[in-house]
Amino acid sequence: MASKGNMGKVYLEEKSKEIRRECLNMVMRAQSGHLAPALSCADIITALFFEVMNIDPANPKDENRDRFILSAGHKCLALYAALAKRGFFPEETFKTYVQFKSILGGHPDGLKIPGVEISTGSLGHGLPIGIGMALAARYLKRNYRTYVLLGDGEIHEGSIWEAASAACHYKLDNIIGIIDHNKLCADGPIDEVMSIRPLNKRWEAFGWSVIEIDGHNMDDIVSALKRVPLSKDKPTMIIANTIKGKGVSCMENKFDWHSKVPTAEQAKEAFKELA
Amino acid sequence: MYKKSECLFESRFPALEYVLEEVVNENKKIIALTADISSRIVPRFVVNHPDRFFNFGIAEQNMFGAAAGFASAGLIPFAMTLSVFVTMRACEQIRTDIAYTNSNVKIIATGGGLAYGKLGSTHMGIEDISLMRSIPNMTIIVPADSVETTHAIREAVRFNGPVFIRFGQKENPIVHVNGLQKEFVIGKAIKLRSGNDISFIATGVMVSKAIEACNELKKLGIYASVYSFHTIKPLDKEAVLDAADSKYGLITLEDNNVNGGLGGAVAEVLGSEKPRPVKRIGIPDLYPVIGSPEELYKEYNMDVSAIVRTSMEMTKQDIG
C-alpha cells in the first residue's frame, strides 16, 4: 500500500490546483458549500493524501493505515476532491454533492464516504477522537499515525484543550495536529471574535512540540509533515499560516466568504486563476 | 436457577467489576475509560489491568470523543462516569461521535435518578433516560439489580453498537433472587409476576418496589403483573401490548423524569396502538429537594406505599 511518496513539488502543486478547481465546481453546481475554508486547507490536504499518509484506496480500512480526521468538517470540499482524485470513490460522485441522498453532504459522513475516517462537522470533536485513535495504536502496537486538521477558530472550543492535555499526559507522539491558521472566523477576524494569541505558546504550555509553517508552500508543508514527531514522547502541533479563499483573489482574506457562493462572473475569473 | 456468575451482590458496582473481569479476560478488545471516578466504580480493574485502563481526568467530552476513536480501531471501550455528566456534559459527543457514527462504545452511567439525592440536583441524573431516548442508534439498558447487570454487560459486549447502561443507587435489593428464569435479551422485557388487574411496567431500582407493591396489593385482593423493562430502547412493544390487557390499566415506574422516559415510551406505544389508562410514576418535572433516595422516593410518591395508593386509585376510578 503506502503513500505515493516523493511526488515532487510541481506534481503536488498541480494536484492542489486540481482540488481547488473541483471545490469550486462542486460549489457552483450545488450553489452551496464552504468554499473559502476548503481553499485555505487545500495544500495541506494535498500534501497529506498525495505524499505523506500511508493509505490505500483499494483497502481503505487497512488496520495499519494512517488516520486523518477533518476536525473542521466544514472544509470537506477539499477532502472530497482529494479522496476521489486519490481513487477512494469515482469523481462522478462530485455531481451529487449535497443533492438528495448523496453520500457527499455539507459535512463528511464516515459511514458513507470511502476514505473518510469518521464523521465530523461539530467543531471541537476531532482532536478528542484522534486521542482515542492514537491511544488505540499504542494499545494495539500499531505504527499508524493520526493526523487531525483543525480550524483556528475551532480551538475556541474547550474540548480541544481537554484533548490537548490528554495528548501530553499520555505522551502521544503518534498524533499530529495541524491548525489551518487563516485568522478568520465566520464573523470576522479571529482577533476580534475571540483571540487565540499567543497561539504557539498556548500549545507549548500544554506540552506539545510546535512548528510554524507557510501552509501554502508545498516544500514547507511536506518537510514539516515528514519531520514529525518533533520530539519523542510529545504530540506535535503544526501551525500552518494560510489564507482563507487562497487562489481566488476576490475571496482571499475576506471573512464574509466563509460560506458564500461566487457569482457566475466571479467563478469564471476564479477558474482562470486556478488554471 | 441462579448461577454463580449472575452475582448476587447487593451492590451493583462489584457486580459490574466481576463481570468486567470476566469479559476482559475473554476479549482483549475491551478497555475501560473513566473521568476521575474509577476508584468508586471499578477500583480492582485499575489495579488488575493498568494497560487496559485510561483515565481522562475530569474531561468527559474528551473521554467520549476518544471512546469513538478507540472504537474506530476495533476496540470495545467501556466509558464510565456519573450519568449527569455522561448525558449532559458530553451529550453532543455521545450523539455525534458515538451514535451518529454507530460506534461500538459501551457507556456506563452511574448515579442515575435520585441515587445522589444528598449531593443535590447538580449530581442527579434525572433527565438521562429521556435525553438518551431521543438519540438514534442508542440502546438504553437500566438493570434492575446485580443479576441483570451481569447479563447486561455480557450482552452489551456481544451487541455491536452504542449501548447506554444506567445504574442508580449503589446498593439495591436483588430482584432475581433465583437467577434469571429466561434468557436476557436486549429489547425483551422480563415478566416477573402475573396478575390480571393492573400491570406494572418498571425499570431499574423501581422493579423491586413494583414487586413489593404487587405483594401488598395481593393482600388487598388486587392482582398485578410486574415487568422488568431492563431495555428502554428499543422498547419491547409486544410486552407493552401484553401488559395493556390488564383490567384497569398500566402503571409505569422509573427513577427518571416522568417526561420522556419509560412512561413516555409506553404511552407513545399505547396511544397509537392500544389506548389504555396509564399512570406514570417517576420524578416530577422539577429539581428535587435534598434527601436520601428513600426520602425522595417517598416525597415524590415513588415508594411502595405510594405505588399501592396509585394502584388502588386506578382500580377504584375504573370501577367508579
Side-chain angles (χ1 to χ4, degrees):
Chain A
M1 54 185 260
S3 64
K4 293 262 181 180
N6 306 313
M7 296 307 290
K9 189 181 174 188
V10 176
Y11 171 84
L12 292 172
E13 283 174 347
E14 200 44 55
K15 204 42 89 174
S16 72
K17 259 192 194 170
E18 243 182 77
I19 284 170
R20 285 193 165 89
R21 286 196 297 271
E22 215 52 74
C23 292
L24 181 58
N25 257 327
M26 279 190 268
V27 166
M28 293 315 291
R29 212 183 284 119
Q31 289 293 297
S32 161
H34 289 82
L35 179 57
L39 298 178
S40 173
C41 67
D43 296 314
I44 300 163
I45 286 187
T46 303
L48 283 166
F49 281 82
F50 288 88
E51 178 72 19
V52 177
M53 284 203 301
N54 182 30
I55 47 172
D56 180 6
N59 194 4
K61 292 287 176 191
D62 186 291
E63 57 186 29
N64 293 313
R65 71 191 180 279
D66 283 336
R67 269 63 168 176
F68 174 76
I69 304 171
L70 186 63
S71 194
H74 61 285
K75 300 174 195 271
C76 59
L77 284 162
L79 176 61
Y80 296 165
L83 284 171
K85 291 187 183 295
R86 189 72 168 75
F88 282 90
F89 58 84
E91 293 193 33
E92 295 90 80
T93 317
F94 292 150
K95 290 180 191 152
T96 71
Y97 170 68
V98 301
Q99 302 307 303
F100 184 57
K101 293 191 174 175
S102 172
I103 61 166
L104 305 179
H107 296 91
D109 185 331
L111 292 182
K112 295 186 181 140
I113 310 169
V116 170
E117 199 59 58
I118 195 154
S119 304
T120 51
S122 178
L123 299 175
H125 288 231
L127 198 58
I129 295 170
I131 299 297
M133 291 180 184
L135 280 168
R138 180 181 294 171
Y139 177 73
L140 295 165
K141 299 187 171 54
R142 291 191 191 138
N143 291 324
Y144 68 78
R145 284 185 174 171
T146 301
Y147 298 90
V148 184
L149 182 62
L150 302 143
D152 51 3
E154 180 182 8
I155 71 166
H156 290 154
E157 294 282 4
S159 51
I160 291 294
W161 299 100
E162 293 184 6
S165 296
C168 171
H169 176 82
Y170 283 110
K171 300 183 168 56
L172 294 177
D173 59 10
N174 58 354
I175 190 164
I176 299 101
I178 305 155
I179 296 180
D180 178 5
H181 191 23
N182 60 35
K183 299 152 198 84
L184 293 177
C185 285
D187 270 358
I190 195 163
D191 275 338
E192 287 175 22
V193 174
M194 181 58 63
S195 172
I196 54 172
R197 291 173 193 266
L199 185 56
N200 295 27
K201 284 184 180 161
R202 286 190 193 198
W203 287 94
E204 279 162 7
F206 272 72
W208 290 57
S209 294
V210 180
I211 181 173
E212 196 168 340
I213 62 164
D214 175 347
H216 299 306
N217 180 318
M218 206 48 90
D219 284 339
D220 234 22
I221 301 169
V222 171
S223 80
L225 286 168
K226 287 188 172 176
R227 271 175 61 200
V228 292
L230 296 178
S231 347
K232 196 177 172 337
D233 295 338
K234 282 175 89 173
T236 300
M237 182 56 73
I238 299 173
I239 296 174
N241 289 302
T242 53
I243 292 168
K244 198 162 182 168
K246 173 72 178 174
V248 178
S249 52
C250 70
M251 297 171 69
E252 284 188 1
N253 277 328
K254 296 195 181 75
F255 76 86
D256 61 339
W257 274 98
H258 182 70
S259 54
K260 208 160 84 176
V261 177
T263 62
E265 197 55 40
Q266 286 166 327
K268 207 172 149 191
E269 272 312 298
F271 277 120
K272 270 189 218 160
E273 289 178 357
L274 296 172
Chain B
M1 266 304 289
Y2 159 69
K3 292 187 285 291
K4 185 173 178 291
S5 61
E6 284 181 319
C7 288
L8 286 186
F9 293 113
E10 284 188 2
S11 166
R12 263 163 307 169
F13 297 165
L16 173 65
E17 272 216 311
Y18 177 94
V19 72
L20 264 186
E21 187 70 32
E22 176 194 291
V23 294
V24 297
N25 287 326
E26 284 170 6
N27 190 336
K28 294 283 175 225
K29 290 179 181 172
I30 296 170
I31 53 168
L33 281 49
T34 78
D36 193 33
I37 195 81
S38 59
S39 59
R40 310 278 181 83
I41 312 175
V42 287
R44 281 182 298 135
F45 185 96
V46 180
V47 175
N48 294 346
H49 306 282
D51 57 322
R52 298 170 76 168
F53 167 73
F54 301 89
N55 204 331
F56 281 83
I58 308 154
E60 294 80 9
Q61 298 178 63
N62 186 41
M63 176 172 78
F64 285 104
F70 275 114
S72 81
L75 297 173
I76 307 175
F78 274 73
M80 51 192 95
T81 190
L82 268 64
S83 197
V84 67
F85 308 134
V86 169
T87 56
M88 280 174 273
R89 178 63 70 98
C91 187
E92 203 203 350
Q93 277 76 14
I94 287 174
R95 181 263 192 190
T96 298
D97 303 348
I98 295 173
Y100 172 44
T101 61
N102 207 19
S103 293
N104 198 16
V105 175
K106 314 305 168 186
I107 301 164
I108 304 289
T110 67
L114 297 169
Y116 291 153
K118 290 187 178 182
L119 297 183
S121 291
T122 54
H123 283 57
M124 295 184 198
I126 55 178
E127 306 95 338
D128 54 354
I129 295 175
S130 313
L131 287 162
M132 290 298 106
R133 261 198 75 217
S134 63
I135 295 179
N137 283 351
M138 187 58 75
T139 291
I140 305 173
I141 302 180
V142 187
D145 65 359
S146 58
V147 176
E148 285 190 12
T149 297
T150 58
H151 287 278
I153 300 291
R154 287 193 203 106
E155 289 310 308
V157 171
R158 285 190 196 109
F159 181 86
N160 185 22
V163 182
F164 174 80
I165 305 174
R166 190 246 211 185
F167 299 106
Q169 275 177 276
K170 204 169 172 184
E171 314 289 333
N172 68 271
I174 292 166
V175 170
H176 303 279
V177 285
N178 296 314
L180 280 194
Q181 304 304 303
K182 281 209 301 193
E183 202 187 345
F184 184 101
V185 180
I186 291 175
K188 281 282 162 206
I190 299 171
K191 192 170 186 178
L192 295 161
R193 298 282 189 279
S194 293
N196 295 330
D197 292 327
I198 209 158
S199 289
F200 292 144
I201 290 186
T203 195
V205 66
M206 298 304 287
V207 176
S208 68
K209 295 186 192 304
I211 289 173
E212 269 191 72
C214 169
N215 294 341
E216 292 296 315
L217 286 165
K218 200 185 282 182
K219 294 175 196 162
L220 302 169
I222 297 168
Y223 297 92
S225 290
V226 179
Y227 297 79
S228 172
F229 269 61
H230 51 71
T231 311
I232 292 181
K233 189 179 179 183
L235 191 75
D236 186 350
K237 285 187 186 178
E238 212 177 298
V240 172
L241 296 176
D242 179 58
D245 286 336
S246 63
K247 192 171 168 190
Y248 298 104
L250 305 90
I251 296 179
T252 60
L253 304 103
E254 64 194 307
D255 186 8
N256 180 69
N257 190 312
V258 283
N259 295 336
L262 175 64
V266 168
E268 285 163 19
V269 172
L270 294 174
S272 58
E273 300 193 25
K274 202 172 192 175
R276 294 284 293 148
V278 184
K279 285 200 185 288
R280 292 173 294 142
I281 289 179
I283 305 162
D285 190 23
L286 50 72
Y287 289 101
V289 296
I290 296 291
S292 70
E294 289 310 323
E295 285 168 332
L296 297 181
Y297 292 138
K298 186 161 187 271
E299 175 71 15
Y300 299 117
N301 296 318
M302 298 162 68
D303 62 347
V304 174
S305 63
I307 300 168
V308 170
R309 220 161 45 234
T310 304
S311 306
M312 292 181 67
E313 280 164 19
M314 200 170 200
T315 53
K316 272 183 201 154
Q317 268 179 14
D318 212 85
I319 295 164

